[in-house]
Amino acid sequence: MSGSEFRTGTPAPFPSSPETFRPHTETAPRENLTEEHDGKVRRLEEELERTRRRLCEMEERENHRAVVAEELQAGHGDLKRRLEELGRANSGLRQLMEATDAATLFVDRELLIRCNTPGAAAVLSLDSAGLSSGHPLREAVRQLDYPEIEADARRVLETRAPVIRKVQAGGRWYLARFQFGGCAEGDGNAGVLLTLTDITARHAMEEALQVSEGKYRTLFDSIDEGFCVIEVLFDEKGVAHDYRFIEANPAFEKHTGLKMETTLGRTMRELAPDHEPHWYEIYGHVALTGEPRRFDQPAEALGRYYDVYAFRMGKPEERQVAVLFNDITARKQAEKAVAADLRAMQTLREFGALVIPQTEIETLYGAINAAAMKLTGADAGTVQILDAATRELVLLAAHGFPSDSPQRFGRLDAASATSCGMALASGKRTVVDFDDPVLSDPKGDLRWHVDAGYLSAQSTPLLTRSGRPLGMMSTHWHTPHRRLTEQEGRHFDLLARQAADLIEQRLAFMEIQSARLEAETAGRAKDHFLAVLSHELRTPLTPVLMVLDDLLSETALPESMRGILSMAHRNVLLEVQLIDDLLDMTHITRGKMEFRHRPMDVHESVKKALEVCQRDLEAKNHRVELSPGAAVCEIAGDAMRLQQVFWNLIKNACKFTPPGGSIRITSHNPEPGVIEIDVADTGVGLKPEVLKHIFDPFMQADSQVARRFGGLGLGLAISRAITEAHGGTLSVRSAGIDQGAVFTVTLPVLPAGEQ
């Protein structure tokens, strides 16, 4: 009740404070009132104050009731609106349930179905009666292969945690999800919701994925290449500084030497603190950019060399890189060995291709020493030659040693404590460590090498192919205990073989040169002797021929005397011819034969030579045929010398052809600018082995021919020299003994404008 509802007659409220109260009778002064009256007044004032307070409290309560009533009225309207909205939502939800394909069941705490979607009936192959409200869950889901369905429903009711399983029904797969909830028409906390989602296609994909993953895992485990997945680690500046191993295949251990059980989960710096920075840089680049990289790099910390293909795996923010790699250490070592082989072979080829004059043998020794140092990577080297007389090694080439080394090691014998002295004593390659305390060093040679900075050396003897020692080839190193590898030893032996062959050739050349000089000196003395002798012999024969010619011209000379004088004349002429041949040969060997080249007819020289030999031809009753068939026969030559050539050839044909034989002289032009003159006979012929030497000076077919036919064997040599001096050739052919011979003179003819 509000303050405005006080009835009529009710006293008006008192003033709010005692100070405003005034008594009804103010005419009598306060001091005249008695104490009793004062007490009543005070009591009355107190009662009025209490009444006023009660009235205020009643007014406040009445106001509060009015506010509550208003709030209740407003809440009633809001509740009504909410109920209307809930009804509309419930209707929409019911419509949604009826329209959706989702298979959903609403089950209460007694595991009885309260409501469901049409999709549930289709999945469970039931009609509306089979899924009516209050129907047991177990009977409704017999189509499902889901024996744990009731246990899962109770667990959700107890724990309110969802349960998800894959179940099968009618050949299809479903994802069954139990969650705490209720039917839309009832209490939302009254039961559970079972939703069945068709995942047949997804299940097939998952199975295919599992098969694929199985194949991948089989491949992953069986490939021979190493494979791992790493997580690249970056510092605060975004720089890759390490990586962690996440996964690896069995081949990982074989290619890295790292055990998987102690590697996975750990970082590379933990496993190999000295791992090269370029590995982190490359993997960091792949992780950040997604660009795959194919490369090969050494991993010195692991003592291996790898061929690597790296590519990003997963999301960019995961910073993961897949690494497929092969340990190619053996291949790189083989390539290195092949490269070393190629360099060594190039060094050997370059050495073999050096054009060093035969007389510069010191240059050869220097080239051998340079090649030896290059092949072995030596810091110094020497080449020594063996003095056969003293059995000492003489230093001929040295590089890399102090200036006093030639004085100290200019000559060494087998007693020297150096590697070359020991190799000379043993005849085999010797390796020495100069700081070896076990070795004896009476002359201080070992200490000298150590002081000079050389701690090891090897010496290899240079031997001829017959095994004769020629010298020594040595290399020295600053490093201790240096030994030639098998590859270096093989190459060094090849160089030693080449060097020994070249040195032997040069030494032989020097010996030949010395012998040649001696022979040339003797030859010049012989030529001088023959020239003087020929001149001295021919001079007294000239008046003898003149006297014999005069005597033979006497008509009154008796026949018996004429025969004797004729024989003497022939022998003197033969002697003169022999002396002339000696003189000509001497002039030829000394290059002093003179020629007077003029245009001439070759046929005329042939005819004149034939006339000179006519008497000898007639004496042996030879049939001679001259057939000058060459149309062009003019040449530039010395007529007398060419006549000498044809005279020699015709005379030889006459000499070696039996009486009654035939001699045929022909000419022709086989090609423009050339004339050939053939002198063919039916004589004794020539053996094949004689043909190649028939034009050598003093050459006779055999000793029997020399005794039978005489002569010095100089005629053909002189004829060939004269022919070649005219720019032509002289050749011979014969079918063999008693098959005759054909000598052919080939000469260049004059050009048409000069004939």
Side-chain angles (χ1 to χ4, degrees):
M1 179 181 295
S2 66
S4 62
E5 294 179 352
F6 283 108
R7 295 182 182 273
T8 304
T10 304
F14 290 98
S16 59
S17 63
E19 289 82 2
T20 62
F21 176 75
R22 295 289 186 269
H24 295 285
T25 303
E26 297 181 355
T27 58
R30 179 180 289 273
E31 59 268 15
N32 294 329
L33 294 178
T34 62
E35 291 181 0
E36 182 180 356
H37 178 75
D38 291 339
K40 290 181 179 180
V41 171
R42 284 192 298 273
R43 287 192 295 273
L44 182 60
E45 287 177 349
E46 291 173 355
E47 183 65 25
L48 286 174
E49 179 64 23
R50 285 192 294 274
T51 301
R52 186 189 64 79
R53 290 177 179 171
R54 285 195 297 271
L55 288 174
C56 288
E57 291 175 356
M58 291 175 64
E59 185 179 2
E60 288 177 357
R61 284 195 295 271
E62 189 65 24
N63 289 336
H64 178 70
R65 282 195 296 272
V67 171
V68 170
E70 290 176 359
E71 290 177 352
L72 288 173
Q73 186 66 25
H76 178 74
D78 185 62
L79 178 60
K80 184 177 180 180
R81 285 194 305 273
R82 288 178 179 273
L83 288 173
E84 289 175 355
E85 290 175 359
L86 181 61
R88 289 193 297 271
N90 190 32
S91 176
L93 179 60
R94 173 62 61 183
Q95 292 174 3
L96 178 63
M97 289 175 58
E98 292 174 354
T100 185
D101 292 333
T104 305
L105 297 175
F106 297 88
V107 183
D108 62 14
R109 292 182 178 275
E110 302 302 325
L111 301 186
L112 300 177
I113 297 174
R114 290 304 176 188
C115 57
N116 63 275
T117 63
V123 170
L124 300 175
S125 301
L126 297 173
D127 53 18
S128 58
L131 287 175
S132 59
S133 179
H135 199 80
L137 175 64
R138 174 177 290 280
E139 294 180 5
V141 297
R142 289 176 180 175
Q143 186 72 11
L144 286 177
D145 184 12
Y146 193 176
E148 307 90 349
I149 189 168
E150 290 186 345
D152 286 351
R154 289 191 177 93
R155 190 170 74 179
V156 173
L157 287 170
E158 292 173 2
T159 65
R160 298 196 177 190
V163 173
I164 300 174
R165 287 184 186 271
K166 287 175 64 175
V167 299
Q168 194 174 11
R172 302 189 68 82
W173 285 90
Y174 297 90
L175 186 67
R177 177 184 175 89
F178 269 117
Q179 66 184 49
F180 193 80
C183 183
E185 295 177 342
D187 183 5
N189 296 324
V192 294
L193 280 74
L194 172 61
T195 303
L196 299 172
T197 304
D198 191 338
I199 59 168
T200 304
R202 191 176 81 180
H203 179 74
M205 293 177 61
E206 289 176 349
E207 285 189 336
L209 182 61
Q210 288 177 356
V211 172
S212 177
E213 288 180 348
K215 292 180 179 178
Y216 163 76
R217 178 57 60 180
T218 301
L219 177 64
F220 182 79
D221 293 338
S222 62
I223 59 174
D224 189 54
E225 290 83 358
F227 182 82
C228 63
V229 178
I230 60 174
E231 177 191 1
V232 184
L233 306 178
F234 295 84
D235 60 18
E236 62 277 2
K237 296 181 180 179
V239 178
H241 66 92
D242 202 352
Y243 52 84
R244 178 177 288 105
F245 291 97
I246 299 174
E247 187 178 6
N249 71 337
F252 177 87
E253 293 187 6
K254 181 184 75 172
H255 289 282
T256 64
L258 301 174
K259 298 293 184 182
M260 280 198 293
E261 57 268 20
T262 59
T263 299
L264 297 183
R266 300 181 66 186
T267 67
M268 190 65 199
R269 289 195 182 276
E270 291 175 340
L271 299 168
D274 298 329
H275 199 46
E276 294 86 351
H278 59 254
W279 292 95
Y280 309 125
E281 296 172 5
I282 294 173
Y283 292 148
H285 179 81
V286 174
L288 291 176
T289 65
E291 298 175 3
R293 289 284 300 272
R294 182 66 180 264
F295 61 95
D296 57 77
Q297 290 283 356
E300 298 294 343
L302 301 178
R304 298 169 188 252
Y305 211 109
Y306 292 105
D307 174 34
V308 181
Y309 180 69
F311 55 94
R312 187 164 67 190
M313 175 171 279
K315 299 177 181 179
E317 59 270 18
E318 293 176 346
R319 306 292 175 84
Q320 291 185 3
V321 175
V323 184
L324 183 67
F325 60 96
N326 255 319
D327 181 3
I328 58 172
T329 307
R331 191 185 82 192
K332 284 295 182 180
Q333 290 174 345
E335 289 175 356
K336 185 177 180 181
V338 170
D341 268 338
L342 291 175
R343 289 193 300 269
M345 296 309 295
Q346 181 65 25
T347 299
L348 293 173
R349 280 195 297 271
E350 290 174 356
F351 174 73
L354 287 176
V355 179
I356 301 175
Q358 294 280 5
T359 55
E360 297 181 10
I361 195 165
E362 290 80 8
T363 304
L364 172 63
Y365 294 142
I368 293 172
N369 193 34
M373 292 176 61
K374 186 175 181 180
L375 283 179
T376 59
D379 302 303
T382 61
V383 175
Q384 299 155 298
I385 198 72
L386 180 64
D387 186 341
T390 62
R391 301 298 297 174
E392 292 178 327
L393 292 171
V394 181
L395 183 64
L396 294 179
H399 181 78
F401 287 106
S403 57
D404 64 334
S405 59
Q407 289 77 26
R408 184 178 184 91
F409 301 106
R411 280 183 171 268
L412 292 175
D413 56 23
S416 172
T418 59
S419 58
C420 49
M422 297 179 188
L424 179 62
S426 66
K428 299 178 182 179
R429 177 181 292 140
T430 301
V431 180
V432 170
D433 294 315
F434 294 117
D435 58 351
D436 188 349
V438 177
L439 296 177
S440 174
D441 189 21
K443 298 181 180 180
D445 293 339
L446 300 179
R447 174 50 51 190
W448 183 93
H449 281 87
V450 173
D451 292 342
Y454 296 100
L455 300 180
S456 57
Q458 70 80 32
S459 294
T460 300
L462 298 175
L463 306 174
T464 66
R465 293 185 180 271
S466 62
R468 179 172 59 88
L470 289 175
M472 196 70 62
M473 192 163 58
S474 306
T475 50
H476 300 67
W477 297 275
H478 293 312
T479 54
H481 313 298
R482 177 66 161 84
R483 301 293 186 269
L484 294 182
T485 65
E486 181 181 354
Q487 187 181 38
E488 288 176 335
R490 186 170 64 254
H491 295 149
F492 202 80
D493 289 340
L494 288 174
L495 176 63
R497 178 73 275 138
Q498 280 186 296
D501 288 345
L502 287 173
I503 292 174
E504 186 178 21
Q505 291 172 7
R506 296 304 169 93
L507 293 177
F509 173 78
M510 293 174 65
E511 293 177 0
I512 292 172
Q513 283 291 91
S514 177
R516 180 179 176 182
L517 289 175
E518 293 178 2
E520 287 177 351
T521 302
R524 285 192 295 272
K526 178 200 70 175
D527 292 340
H528 178 70
F529 170 74
L530 290 176
V532 173
L533 178 63
S534 300
H535 183 270
E536 295 300 326
L537 289 175
R538 198 180 192 287
T539 300
L541 292 179
T542 302
V544 173
L545 282 174
M546 293 176 61
V547 171
L548 289 174
D549 285 336
D550 289 341
L551 290 174
L552 289 172
S553 63
E554 292 290 336
T555 57
L557 187 65
E559 287 300 323
S560 58
M561 184 59 68
R562 184 178 297 279
I564 294 172
L565 292 175
S566 295
M567 181 184 66
H569 186 270
R570 287 194 303 274
N571 283 287
V572 172
L573 284 176
L574 178 60
E575 189 69 25
V576 170
Q577 183 61 49
L578 293 175
I579 294 172
D580 287 343
D581 286 348
L582 282 173
L583 285 172
D584 287 342
M585 199 66 227
T586 301
H587 293 155
I588 289 171
T589 55
R590 298 175 67 180
K592 293 184 178 181
M593 179 172 278
E594 296 181 358
F595 297 93
R596 295 179 176 84
H597 293 276
R598 292 183 178 85
M600 57 167 288
D601 187 338
V602 176
H603 291 161
E604 290 300 322
S605 291
V606 173
K607 291 177 183 178
K608 289 180 180 179
L610 187 58
E611 291 175 358
V612 173
C613 298
Q614 191 64 38
R615 182 184 300 176
D616 294 334
L617 295 170
E618 291 175 352
K620 298 186 71 173
N621 196 24
H622 288 150
R623 294 185 300 276
V624 179
E625 178 184 351
L626 178 60
S627 299
V632 181
C633 58
E634 290 190 19
I635 69 169
D638 188 322
M640 291 300 296
R641 289 298 183 184
L642 286 176
Q643 182 177 327
Q644 181 180 355
V645 171
F646 296 124
W647 176 78
N648 270 326
L649 296 179
I650 296 171
K651 187 179 68 172
N652 270 1
C654 179
K655 181 193 296 186
F656 295 106
T657 301
S662 299
I663 298 174
R664 188 169 184 267
I665 304 170
T666 60
S667 70
H668 63 288
N669 299 114
E671 59 183 81
V674 175
I675 184 173
E676 284 188 354
I677 301 93
D678 292 333
V679 178
D681 62 58
T682 59
V684 298
L686 295 169
K687 297 177 181 178
E689 60 270 20
V690 176
L691 291 175
K692 62 179 71 175
H693 302 293
I694 195 65
F695 295 106
D696 293 345
F698 305 103
M699 178 63 192
Q700 297 280 7
D702 53 43
S703 58
Q704 184 177 0
V705 172
R707 289 193 300 271
R708 179 179 175 187
F709 297 101
L712 296 176
L714 295 176
L716 291 177
I718 295 170
S719 297
R720 187 173 196 176
I722 294 172
T723 303
E724 291 175 351
H726 283 76
T729 61
L730 175 59
S731 60
V732 62
R733 62 183 184 274
S734 174
I737 298 300
D738 296 331
Q739 299 298 315
V742 179
F743 286 85
T744 301
V745 177
T746 303
L747 295 168
V749 300
L750 285 172
E754 298 180 15
Q755 293 181 6

